[in-house]
Protein backbone atom coordinates (compact mmCIF):
# COMPACT_ATOMS: atom_id res chain seq x y z
CA UNK A 1 0.00 0.00 0.00
CA UNK A 2 2.73 2.47 0.92
CA UNK A 3 4.71 1.67 -2.23
CA UNK A 4 1.63 2.31 -4.36
CA UNK A 5 0.98 5.56 -2.51
CA UNK A 6 4.58 6.58 -3.09
CA UNK A 7 4.32 5.99 -6.83
CA UNK A 8 1.17 8.10 -7.03
CA UNK A 9 2.90 10.86 -5.10
CA UNK A 10 5.86 10.76 -7.48
CA UNK A 11 3.70 10.91 -10.56
CA UNK A 12 1.27 13.55 -9.32
CA UNK A 13 2.90 15.81 -6.73
CA UNK A 14 5.23 18.74 -7.14
CA UNK A 15 8.89 18.01 -6.61
CA UNK A 16 10.49 20.90 -4.73
CA UNK A 17 14.22 21.46 -5.21
CA UNK A 18 16.55 23.00 -2.68
CA UNK A 19 16.74 26.08 -4.87
CA UNK A 20 12.99 26.62 -4.27
CA UNK A 21 12.11 25.90 -7.89
CA UNK A 22 8.96 23.85 -8.34
CA UNK A 23 7.46 21.97 -11.23
CA UNK A 24 4.52 19.65 -11.75
CA UNK A 25 4.71 16.89 -14.29
CA UNK A 26 1.87 14.40 -14.48
CA UNK A 27 3.68 11.91 -16.72
CA UNK A 28 7.34 12.43 -15.86
CA UNK A 29 10.32 10.83 -17.50
CA UNK A 30 13.31 10.18 -15.25
CA UNK A 31 16.61 11.21 -16.88
CA UNK A 32 19.97 10.20 -15.45
CA UNK A 33 21.65 13.42 -14.29
CA UNK A 34 24.42 11.81 -12.25
CA UNK A 35 27.76 13.59 -12.69
CA UNK A 36 30.46 10.93 -12.96
CA UNK A 37 33.14 13.58 -12.52
CA UNK A 38 32.02 14.25 -8.96
CA UNK A 39 31.93 11.98 -5.97
CA UNK A 40 28.81 11.11 -4.05
CA UNK A 41 27.35 14.09 -2.25
CA UNK A 42 24.29 14.92 -0.15
CA UNK A 43 23.44 18.60 -0.39
CA UNK A 44 20.05 19.20 1.22
CA UNK A 45 16.71 17.81 2.32
CA UNK A 46 13.30 19.30 1.60
CA UNK A 47 11.05 19.71 3.45
CA UNK A 48 12.86 19.70 6.78
CA UNK A 49 9.73 18.94 8.82
CA UNK A 50 6.54 16.94 8.41
CA UNK A 51 4.52 13.85 9.32
CA UNK A 52 4.29 10.20 8.32
CA UNK A 53 3.75 9.33 4.63
CA UNK A 54 4.60 12.80 3.32
CA UNK A 55 7.01 12.99 0.34
CA UNK A 56 10.55 14.28 0.73
CA UNK A 57 13.39 15.08 -1.68
CA UNK A 58 17.13 14.81 -1.08
CA UNK A 59 19.44 16.60 -3.52
CA UNK A 60 23.04 15.68 -4.24
CA UNK A 61 24.95 13.40 -6.60
CA UNK A 62 23.94 9.74 -6.56
CA UNK A 63 25.18 6.91 -8.71
CA UNK A 64 23.01 3.93 -9.57
CA UNK A 65 19.37 2.97 -9.38
CA UNK A 66 16.98 3.58 -6.52
CA UNK A 67 17.32 -0.09 -5.58
CA UNK A 68 20.91 0.56 -4.52
CA UNK A 69 19.95 3.50 -2.28
CA UNK A 70 18.70 3.74 1.29
CA UNK A 71 17.60 6.73 3.35
CA UNK A 72 17.34 6.46 7.15
CA UNK A 73 15.77 8.71 9.75
CA UNK A 74 17.77 8.13 12.95
CA UNK A 75 16.85 8.88 16.55
CA UNK A 76 17.49 7.67 20.10
CA UNK A 77 14.65 6.31 22.21
CA UNK A 78 16.77 7.38 25.19
CA UNK A 79 19.07 10.28 24.31
CA UNK A 80 21.41 9.53 27.21
CA UNK A 81 21.97 5.95 26.03
CA UNK A 82 23.78 5.48 22.67
CA UNK A 83 22.66 1.85 22.50
CA UNK A 84 19.03 2.96 21.96
CA UNK A 85 19.67 4.27 18.43
CA UNK A 86 16.80 3.44 16.05
CA UNK A 87 17.08 3.80 12.26
CA UNK A 88 13.82 3.92 10.32
CA UNK A 89 14.24 3.21 6.63
CA UNK A 90 12.16 5.30 4.24
CA UNK A 91 10.33 3.95 1.21
CA UNK A 92 12.16 5.33 -1.85
CA UNK A 93 10.32 5.92 -5.11
CA UNK A 94 12.76 7.16 -7.73
CA UNK A 95 16.07 8.89 -8.45
CA UNK A 96 17.46 10.81 -11.40
CA UNK A 97 21.04 10.89 -10.09
CA UNK A 98 20.60 14.37 -8.62
CA UNK A 99 17.54 13.82 -6.45
CA UNK A 100 16.07 10.99 -4.41
CA UNK A 101 12.32 10.99 -3.82
CA UNK A 102 10.93 9.10 -0.82
CA UNK A 103 8.17 8.98 1.76
CA UNK A 104 8.65 9.89 5.43
CA UNK A 105 8.54 6.81 7.71
CA UNK A 106 7.01 6.60 11.17
CA UNK A 107 9.47 7.72 13.86
CA UNK A 108 9.80 9.40 17.23
CA UNK A 109 8.87 13.06 17.49
CA UNK A 110 11.76 15.52 17.38
CA UNK A 111 14.67 16.57 15.18
CA UNK A 112 16.06 13.37 13.73
CA UNK A 113 19.29 12.86 11.79
CA UNK A 114 18.92 11.83 8.14
CA UNK A 115 21.52 9.57 6.52
CA UNK A 116 21.89 8.36 2.92
CA UNK A 117 23.43 5.11 1.73
CA UNK A 118 24.32 4.57 -1.94
CA UNK A 119 25.93 1.23 -2.62
CA UNK A 120 28.74 0.96 -0.07
CA UNK A 121 28.93 4.71 0.58
CA UNK A 122 27.15 6.27 3.54
CA UNK A 123 26.78 9.94 4.41
CA UNK A 124 25.05 11.52 7.43
CA UNK A 125 25.52 15.27 6.83
CA UNK A 126 25.88 17.28 9.99
CA UNK A 127 22.86 19.46 10.45
CA UNK A 128 20.63 17.51 8.03
CA UNK A 129 17.79 17.07 10.50
CA UNK A 130 14.13 16.33 9.94
CA UNK A 131 11.64 17.64 12.51
CA UNK A 132 9.10 14.84 12.80
CA UNK A 133 5.64 15.78 14.06
CA UNK A 134 3.60 12.90 15.42
CA UNK A 135 -0.10 12.45 14.74
CA UNK A 136 -2.01 11.05 17.70
CA UNK A 137 -5.56 9.82 18.25
CA UNK A 138 -7.76 7.38 20.13
CA UNK A 139 -10.84 6.31 18.18
CA UNK A 140 -13.51 3.63 18.47
CA UNK A 141 -12.94 0.94 15.86
CA UNK A 142 -16.07 -1.05 16.65
CA UNK A 143 -18.57 -1.56 19.44
CA UNK A 144 -20.59 1.07 21.26
CA UNK A 145 -19.97 2.84 24.58
CA UNK A 146 -22.30 1.46 27.22
CA UNK A 147 -23.94 -1.23 25.09
CA UNK A 148 -24.07 -4.68 26.72
CA UNK A 149 -25.29 -7.00 23.97
CA UNK A 150 -23.71 -9.22 21.34
CA UNK A 151 -23.99 -8.44 17.64
CA UNK A 152 -21.92 -9.30 14.60
CA UNK A 153 -21.92 -7.08 11.55
CA UNK A 154 -20.09 -4.08 10.18
CA UNK A 155 -18.08 -1.88 12.52
CA UNK A 156 -20.98 0.48 13.18
CA UNK A 157 -23.43 -2.31 14.00
CA UNK A 158 -21.18 -4.71 15.95
CA UNK A 159 -21.62 -4.91 19.73
CA UNK A 160 -19.62 -6.43 22.60
CA UNK A 161 -20.37 -7.15 26.24
CA UNK A 162 -16.83 -6.88 27.64
CA UNK A 163 -13.69 -7.23 25.50
CA UNK A 164 -11.04 -8.56 27.86
CA UNK A 165 -8.19 -9.73 25.61
CA UNK A 166 -6.93 -8.88 22.15
CA UNK A 167 -4.27 -9.72 19.55
CA UNK A 168 -3.38 -8.88 15.93
CA UNK A 169 -3.13 -11.41 13.10
CA UNK A 170 -2.29 -11.18 9.43
CA UNK A 171 -5.04 -10.10 7.06
CA UNK A 172 -5.18 -9.67 3.30
CA UNK A 173 -4.66 -5.90 3.12
CA UNK A 174 -3.17 -5.30 6.55
CA UNK A 175 -3.80 -6.61 10.03
CA UNK A 176 -6.97 -8.04 11.50
CA UNK A 177 -7.80 -8.37 15.21
CA UNK A 178 -8.86 -11.26 17.39
CA UNK A 179 -11.00 -10.14 20.32
CA UNK A 180 -11.84 -12.32 23.33
CA UNK A 181 -14.67 -11.75 25.78
CA UNK A 182 -13.86 -13.83 28.82
CA UNK A 183 -15.11 -14.65 32.32
CA UNK A 184 -18.74 -15.66 31.70
CA UNK A 185 -19.04 -14.21 28.21
CA UNK A 186 -17.14 -16.97 26.34
CA UNK A 187 -16.84 -15.31 22.94
CA UNK A 188 -14.02 -15.14 20.37
CA UNK A 189 -14.43 -12.72 17.45
CA UNK A 190 -12.57 -11.80 14.28
CA UNK A 191 -12.48 -8.05 13.72
CA UNK A 192 -11.73 -7.85 10.01
CA UNK A 193 -10.21 -4.61 8.77
CA UNK A 194 -10.25 -6.30 5.36
CA UNK A 195 -14.06 -6.50 5.30
CA UNK A 196 -15.03 -3.90 7.91
CA UNK A 197 -16.90 -6.63 9.82
CA UNK A 198 -16.99 -8.41 13.17
CA UNK A 199 -17.56 -12.17 12.97
CA UNK A 200 -18.02 -14.54 15.93
CA UNK A 201 -15.56 -17.45 15.69
CA UNK A 202 -16.79 -19.37 18.70
CA UNK A 203 -18.51 -19.28 22.08
CA UNK A 204 -17.00 -22.39 23.64
CA UNK A 205 -14.57 -21.28 26.36
CA UNK A 206 -13.44 -18.56 28.73
CA UNK A 207 -10.07 -17.71 27.24
CA UNK A 208 -7.23 -15.28 27.79
CA UNK A 209 -5.13 -13.41 25.23
CA UNK A 210 -4.70 -15.10 21.81
CA UNK A 211 -1.13 -16.42 21.51
CA UNK A 212 -0.10 -15.55 17.95
CA UNK A 213 2.85 -17.38 16.36
CA UNK A 214 5.51 -15.75 14.18
CA UNK A 215 3.68 -16.44 10.91
CA UNK A 216 0.83 -14.36 12.36
CA UNK A 217 -1.51 -16.76 10.55
CA UNK A 218 -2.09 -19.01 13.55
CA UNK A 219 -2.97 -18.47 17.20
CA UNK A 220 -3.70 -20.53 20.29
CA UNK A 221 -6.10 -20.21 23.22
CA UNK A 222 -6.75 -22.06 26.44
CA UNK A 223 -9.09 -21.56 29.37
CA UNK A 224 -7.82 -19.12 31.97
CA UNK A 225 -9.59 -20.91 34.84
CA UNK A 226 -7.57 -23.00 37.33
CA UNK A 227 -8.34 -26.40 35.83
CA UNK A 228 -6.98 -28.97 33.39
CA UNK A 229 -6.79 -26.94 30.18
CA UNK A 230 -6.71 -28.10 26.56
CA UNK A 231 -4.84 -25.85 24.14
CA UNK A 232 -6.97 -24.90 21.12
CA UNK A 233 -5.56 -23.77 17.76
CA UNK A 234 -6.93 -21.44 15.07
CA UNK A 235 -5.41 -20.88 11.63
CA UNK A 236 -6.13 -18.53 8.79
CA UNK A 237 -6.01 -21.42 6.29
CA UNK A 238 -8.93 -23.03 8.17
CA UNK A 239 -10.92 -19.78 8.28
CA UNK A 240 -9.99 -19.45 11.97
CA UNK A 241 -12.04 -22.51 12.97
CA UNK A 242 -11.31 -23.80 16.48
CA UNK A 243 -9.41 -27.11 16.71
CA UNK A 244 -8.00 -29.05 19.64
CA UNK A 245 -4.26 -29.66 19.77
CA UNK A 246 -4.82 -32.51 22.23
CA UNK A 247 -2.32 -30.93 24.61
CA UNK A 248 -3.71 -30.66 28.13
CA UNK A 249 -2.01 -28.48 30.75
CA UNK A 250 -2.60 -30.15 34.09
CA UNK A 251 -3.87 -28.10 37.01
CA UNK A 252 -1.40 -29.90 39.26
CA UNK A 253 1.47 -28.40 37.22
CA UNK A 254 -0.01 -24.91 36.73
CA UNK A 255 -2.53 -24.30 39.54
CA UNK A 256 -2.91 -20.58 38.87
CA UNK A 257 -4.95 -18.93 36.14
CA UNK A 258 -3.37 -18.74 32.67
CA UNK A 259 -4.18 -15.53 30.82
CA UNK A 260 -1.55 -15.51 28.12
CA UNK A 261 1.52 -17.04 26.54
CA UNK A 262 4.09 -16.22 23.87
CA UNK A 263 6.49 -17.51 21.26
CA UNK A 264 10.12 -16.45 21.05
CA UNK A 265 11.37 -14.88 17.84
CA UNK A 266 11.28 -17.08 14.70
CA UNK A 267 10.32 -20.20 16.67
CA UNK A 268 6.84 -21.62 16.14
CA UNK A 269 7.47 -24.98 17.78
CA UNK A 270 7.72 -23.94 21.42
CA UNK A 271 4.95 -22.00 23.12
CA UNK A 272 5.64 -20.59 26.59
CA UNK A 273 3.00 -20.20 29.28
CA UNK A 274 2.99 -18.58 32.72
CA UNK A 275 0.21 -18.80 35.28
CA UNK A 276 -0.74 -16.22 37.90
CA UNK A 277 1.54 -17.92 40.45
CA UNK A 278 4.58 -17.66 38.12
CA UNK A 279 4.64 -21.34 37.18
CA UNK A 280 6.37 -21.37 33.80
CA UNK A 281 6.28 -24.05 31.11
CA UNK A 282 7.43 -24.78 27.56
CA UNK A 283 4.91 -26.48 25.24
CA UNK A 284 6.30 -28.58 22.38
CA UNK A 285 3.64 -28.25 19.66
CA UNK A 286 5.38 -30.82 17.44
CA UNK A 287 5.54 -33.60 20.02
CA UNK A 288 2.36 -32.47 21.81
CA UNK A 289 4.06 -32.41 25.19
CA UNK A 290 5.11 -29.80 27.71
CA UNK A 291 7.70 -29.44 30.46
CA UNK A 292 7.81 -27.24 33.51
CA UNK A 293 10.69 -24.76 33.80
CA UNK A 294 12.05 -23.61 37.14
CA UNK A 295 12.52 -19.86 37.50
CA UNK A 296 15.10 -18.35 39.84
CA UNK A 297 15.30 -14.77 41.04
CA UNK A 298 12.66 -12.33 42.31
CA UNK A 299 9.65 -14.62 42.34
CA UNK A 300 6.22 -13.02 42.96
CA UNK A 301 5.03 -13.32 46.55
CA UNK A 302 1.31 -12.90 45.88
CA UNK A 303 -1.25 -15.13 44.20
CA UNK A 304 -2.61 -13.05 41.33
CA UNK A 305 -6.09 -12.98 39.85
CA UNK A 306 -4.69 -11.85 36.49
CA UNK A 307 -1.28 -11.54 34.90
CA UNK A 308 -0.07 -11.08 31.35
CA UNK A 309 3.04 -12.36 29.56
CA UNK A 310 4.42 -11.18 26.21
CA UNK A 311 7.68 -11.65 24.31
CA UNK A 312 9.71 -8.67 23.07
CA UNK A 313 11.77 -9.27 19.94
CA UNK A 314 13.58 -6.03 20.66
CA UNK A 315 14.62 -6.96 24.21
CA UNK A 316 14.95 -10.72 23.50
CA UNK A 317 13.01 -11.61 26.64
CA UNK A 318 9.55 -12.08 28.11
CA UNK A 319 7.73 -9.47 30.19
CA UNK A 320 5.10 -10.47 32.76
CA UNK A 321 2.73 -8.10 34.56
CA UNK A 322 1.49 -8.87 38.07
CA UNK A 323 -1.20 -6.37 38.90
CA UNK A 324 -1.58 -6.91 42.65
CA UNK A 325 2.16 -6.25 43.03
CA UNK A 326 1.92 -3.16 40.76
CA UNK A 327 4.90 -4.31 38.77
CA UNK A 328 6.32 -5.91 35.65
CA UNK A 329 8.87 -8.71 35.59
CA UNK A 330 11.49 -9.60 33.02
CA UNK A 331 11.89 -13.34 32.27
CA UNK A 332 14.85 -14.58 30.26
CA UNK A 333 17.22 -17.49 29.74
CA UNK A 334 20.70 -16.77 31.13
CA UNK A 335 23.95 -17.71 29.40
CA UNK A 336 24.27 -20.81 31.61
CA UNK A 337 20.91 -22.11 30.35
CA UNK A 338 18.96 -21.33 33.52
CA UNK A 339 15.79 -19.23 33.46
CA UNK A 340 15.70 -16.03 35.48
CA UNK A 341 12.94 -13.71 36.65
CA UNK A 342 13.72 -10.20 37.85
CA UNK A 343 11.87 -6.98 38.58
CA UNK A 344 11.77 -4.68 35.55
CA UNK A 345 9.40 -1.79 36.30
CA UNK A 346 7.20 -0.62 39.17
CA UNK A 347 6.96 -2.41 42.53
CA UNK A 348 6.74 0.99 44.25
CA UNK A 349 3.16 0.63 45.41
CA UNK A 350 -0.05 1.40 43.57
CA UNK A 351 -0.05 4.82 41.92
CA UNK A 352 0.69 6.79 38.77
CA UNK A 353 4.13 8.30 39.42
CA UNK A 354 6.45 8.32 36.40
CA UNK A 355 10.21 8.47 36.04
CA UNK A 356 12.86 5.77 36.42
CA UNK A 357 11.14 2.46 35.80
CA UNK A 358 12.32 0.81 39.04
CA UNK A 359 13.20 3.68 41.34
CA UNK A 360 10.17 5.95 40.75
CA UNK A 361 7.52 4.42 38.51
CA UNK A 362 4.17 3.20 39.76
CA UNK A 363 1.29 1.33 38.16
CA UNK A 364 -2.34 0.75 39.10
CA UNK A 365 -3.24 -2.86 38.30
CA UNK A 366 -0.93 -3.27 35.28
CA UNK A 367 -2.28 -5.98 33.01
CA UNK A 368 -2.26 -5.96 29.18
CA UNK A 369 1.05 -5.20 27.46
CA UNK A 370 2.41 -4.77 23.93
CA UNK A 371 5.89 -4.00 22.61
CA UNK A 372 6.64 -2.10 19.40
CA UNK A 373 9.39 -2.85 16.91
CA UNK A 374 11.36 0.02 18.51
CA UNK A 375 11.27 -1.60 21.93
CA UNK A 376 8.62 0.69 23.42
CA UNK A 377 6.64 -1.26 26.02
CA UNK A 378 3.01 -0.13 26.44
CA UNK A 379 1.12 -1.14 29.60
CA UNK A 380 -2.61 -1.00 30.33
CA UNK A 381 -3.36 0.14 33.90
CA UNK A 382 -6.59 -1.74 34.33
CA UNK A 383 -7.59 -0.12 37.62
CA UNK A 384 -6.15 3.31 36.87
CA UNK A 385 -7.71 4.00 33.47
CA UNK A 386 -4.46 5.02 31.79
CA UNK A 387 -1.70 3.64 29.58
CA UNK A 388 2.04 3.83 30.26
CA UNK A 389 4.98 3.68 27.89
CA UNK A 390 8.29 2.24 29.11
CA UNK A 391 11.32 3.30 27.06
CA UNK A 392 14.80 2.54 28.30
CA UNK A 393 14.79 3.35 32.02
CA UNK A 394 11.89 5.78 31.87
CA UNK A 395 8.13 5.38 32.34
CA UNK A 396 5.63 7.96 31.11
CA UNK A 397 1.85 8.24 30.67
CA UNK A 398 0.75 8.28 27.03
CA UNK A 399 -3.04 7.90 27.19
CA UNK A 400 -5.85 8.49 29.64
CA UNK A 401 -5.64 10.25 33.00
CA UNK A 402 -5.01 8.38 36.26
CA UNK A 403 -8.15 8.03 38.32
CA UNK A 404 -10.37 9.57 35.65
CA UNK A 405 -12.43 6.81 34.08
CA UNK A 406 -14.90 7.44 31.27
CA UNK A 407 -15.70 6.79 27.66
CA UNK A 408 -14.06 9.53 25.62
CA UNK A 409 -12.05 9.47 22.39
CA UNK A 410 -9.59 12.08 21.18
CA UNK A 411 -8.54 13.17 17.70
CA UNK A 412 -5.48 15.09 18.88
CA UNK A 413 -4.03 13.85 22.16
CA UNK A 414 -4.42 10.35 23.71
CA UNK A 415 -4.06 11.76 27.23
CA UNK A 416 -7.40 13.50 26.64
CA UNK A 417 -9.08 10.13 26.06
CA UNK A 418 -10.84 8.33 28.91
CA UNK A 419 -11.11 4.58 29.54
CA UNK A 420 -13.45 2.48 31.66
CA UNK A 421 -11.47 -0.53 32.92
CA UNK A 422 -9.53 -1.11 29.69
CA UNK A 423 -8.10 -4.63 29.81
CA UNK A 424 -5.59 -5.43 27.09
CA UNK A 425 -3.54 -3.87 24.29
CA UNK A 426 -2.12 -5.25 21.04
CA UNK A 427 0.19 -3.77 18.42
CA UNK A 428 -0.05 -4.42 14.68
CA UNK A 429 2.70 -4.70 12.07
CA UNK A 430 2.77 -0.91 11.62
CA UNK A 431 2.88 -0.18 15.36
CA UNK A 432 -0.74 0.91 15.68
CA UNK A 433 -2.42 -0.10 18.92
CA UNK A 434 -5.74 -1.80 19.58
CA UNK A 435 -7.30 -1.62 23.03
CA UNK A 436 -9.69 -4.14 24.57
CA UNK A 437 -12.04 -1.67 26.19
CA UNK A 438 -13.48 -3.84 28.97
CA UNK A 439 -16.51 -2.01 30.32
CA UNK A 440 -16.27 0.44 27.44
CA UNK A 441 -17.86 -2.38 25.37
CA UNK A 442 -15.57 -1.36 22.50
CA UNK A 443 -12.34 -2.05 20.68
CA UNK A 444 -10.45 1.19 20.16
CA UNK A 445 -7.51 2.09 17.93
CA UNK A 446 -4.74 4.28 19.28
CA UNK A 447 -2.40 5.80 16.70
CA UNK A 448 0.87 7.48 17.56
CA UNK A 449 2.53 8.00 14.19
Amino acid sequence: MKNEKSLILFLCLAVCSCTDKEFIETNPTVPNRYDSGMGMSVDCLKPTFGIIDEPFVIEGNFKGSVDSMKVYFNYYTNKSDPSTLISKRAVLVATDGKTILGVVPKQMAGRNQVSVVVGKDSIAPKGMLFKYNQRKSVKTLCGDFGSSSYADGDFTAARFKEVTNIACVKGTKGDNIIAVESWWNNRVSLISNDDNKVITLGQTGSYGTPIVDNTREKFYLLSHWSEDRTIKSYSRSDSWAEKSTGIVIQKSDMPGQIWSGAFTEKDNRYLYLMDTQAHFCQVDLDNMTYKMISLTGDLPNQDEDRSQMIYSKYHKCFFASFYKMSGIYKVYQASDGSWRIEKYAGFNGSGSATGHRLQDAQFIEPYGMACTSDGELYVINRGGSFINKVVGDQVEIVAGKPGNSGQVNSDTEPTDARFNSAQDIAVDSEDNFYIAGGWDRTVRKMSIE
Side-chain angles (χ1 to χ4, degrees):
M1 293 294 291
K2 284 189 176 180
N3 286 335
E4 292 176 5
K5 184 187 293 185
S6 302
L7 288 171
I8 293 171
L9 285 169
F10 177 67
L11 294 173
C12 301
L13 294 180
V15 177
C16 303
S17 75
C18 296
T19 57
D20 292 329
K21 295 179 181 178
E22 299 183 1
F23 65 89
I24 299 175
E25 190 174 353
T26 57
N27 295 292
T29 59
V30 183
N32 184 357
R33 301 192 294 139
Y34 170 70
D35 187 344
S36 60
M38 299 175 57
M40 174 184 164
S41 67
V42 178
D43 300 332
C44 70
L45 165 73
K46 196 169 185 179
T48 57
F49 62 91
I51 60 176
I52 188 173
D53 289 343
E54 287 190 338
F56 68 85
V57 173
I58 294 177
E59 285 202 351
N61 196 46
F62 315 108
K63 181 181 180 180
S65 68
V66 73
D67 293 335
S68 67
M69 301 175 185
K70 302 179 182 71
V71 173
Y72 295 98
F73 290 72
N74 307 287
Y75 57 91
Y76 293 93
T77 57
N78 183 352
K79 293 182 179 180
S80 62
D81 183 357
S83 68
T84 64
L85 176 67
I86 297 293
S87 296
K88 282 298 184 72
R89 184 176 173 179
V91 173
L92 302 184
V93 181
T95 182
D96 63 359
K98 289 295 184 181
T99 59
I100 299 173
L101 176 66
V103 178
V104 174
K106 183 177 181 178
Q107 54 198 283
M108 184 173 283
R111 296 184 182 276
N112 302 327
Q113 174 69 51
V114 178
S115 60
V116 180
V117 178
V118 179
K120 296 181 179 180
D121 297 323
S122 177
I123 298 180
K126 186 177 180 179
M128 185 173 283
L129 305 177
F130 184 84
K131 184 180 179 181
Y132 185 76
N133 300 312
Q134 287 183 331
R135 295 186 303 198
K136 303 178 182 181
S137 66
V138 176
K139 299 180 180 180
T140 298
L141 181 69
C142 50
D144 184 51
F145 289 146
S147 174
S148 59
S149 60
Y150 289 139
D152 285 354
D154 63 34
F155 284 176
T156 59
R159 297 291 182 267
F160 304 97
K161 284 191 176 180
E162 182 186 357
V163 186
T164 55
N165 300 82
I166 200 166
C168 293
V169 294
K170 185 181 291 185
T172 301
K173 303 173 185 177
D175 281 9
N176 292 328
I177 301 103
I178 303 297
V180 173
E181 295 174 78
S182 194
W183 294 111
W184 297 273
N185 296 313
N186 296 348
R187 186 187 186 206
V188 180
S189 300
L190 171 68
I191 301 174
S192 175
N193 283 315
D194 292 335
D195 303 313
N196 194 45
K197 289 182 179 180
V198 176
I199 304 166
T200 298
L201 300 180
Q203 294 176 284
T204 59
S206 191
Y207 299 130
T209 296
I211 308 165
V212 181
D213 73 4
N214 289 288
T215 69
R216 303 179 63 252
E217 297 190 0
K218 196 167 189 176
F219 69 90
Y220 299 85
L221 286 170
L222 69 166
S223 172
H224 65 73
W225 296 116
S226 300
E227 59 188 12
D228 292 350
R229 288 151 287 203
T230 300
I231 298 175
K232 306 296 178 62
S233 68
Y234 303 72
S235 66
R236 185 181 175 197
S237 60
D238 291 328
S239 300
W240 305 113
E242 180 179 288
K243 295 186 176 181
S244 173
T245 64
I247 304 170
V248 180
I249 306 298
Q250 301 293 327
K251 180 181 178 181
S252 56
D253 290 322
M254 301 191 77
Q257 295 183 27
I258 301 176
W259 282 95
S260 61
F263 290 87
T264 58
E265 188 174 7
K266 299 179 181 178
D267 184 1
N268 295 318
R269 176 176 177 177
Y270 296 110
L271 182 159
Y272 293 84
L273 301 171
M274 179 181 283
D275 72 5
T276 53
Q277 299 177 21
H279 297 102
F280 188 58
C281 84
Q282 180 194 71
V283 180
D284 187 334
L285 294 171
D286 288 352
N287 292 328
M288 299 175 61
T289 59
Y290 71 91
K291 67 176 183 180
M292 301 304 299
I293 297 175
S294 177
L295 296 176
T296 59
D298 299 319
L299 288 167
N301 56 17
Q302 295 187 37
D303 185 6
E304 300 287 316
D305 185 35
R306 290 194 185 192
S307 65
Q308 176 81 280
M309 184 178 77
I310 64 169
Y311 181 78
S312 168
K313 296 179 181 179
Y314 181 90
H315 299 90
K316 311 295 183 185
C317 70
F318 298 97
F319 290 113
S321 62
F322 281 77
Y323 84 84
K324 285 185 181 178
M325 298 181 68
S326 302
I328 298 166
Y329 285 97
K330 175 182 178 180
V331 180
Y332 64 97
Q333 190 170 24
S335 57
D336 62 2
S338 65
W339 284 87
R340 300 277 304 167
I341 183 169
E342 61 185 40
K343 292 178 179 179
Y344 183 74
F347 303 99
N348 293 307
S350 179
S352 58
T354 57
H356 189 280
R357 57 182 169 81
L358 274 176
Q359 296 172 9
D360 308 309
Q362 294 179 308
F363 301 96
I364 303 176
E365 296 187 359
Y367 178 51
M369 297 183 294
C371 195
T372 68
S373 57
D374 292 350
E376 297 176 347
L377 179 65
Y378 286 73
V379 183
I380 290 281
N381 286 260
R382 179 171 169 261
S385 300
F386 63 98
I387 301 174
N388 287 117
K389 179 174 74 172
V390 185
V391 181
D393 283 336
Q394 298 298 306
V395 177
E396 60 185 271
I397 295 172
V398 294
K401 184 177 181 180
N404 286 255
S405 65
Q407 299 170 333
V408 180
N409 289 319
S410 172
D411 287 330
T412 56
E413 180 52 60
T415 54
D416 291 336
R418 297 293 178 263
F419 304 97
N420 190 3
S421 188
Q423 305 283 322
D424 200 3
I425 186 169
V427 61
D428 68 11
S429 57
E430 295 187 353
D431 286 345
N432 295 304
F433 300 93
Y434 296 89
I435 299 166
W439 295 338
D440 281 343
R441 323 293 188 188
T442 65
V443 171
R444 292 201 248 181
K445 182 177 181 180
M446 181 172 74
S447 298
I448 303 175
E449 59 184 18

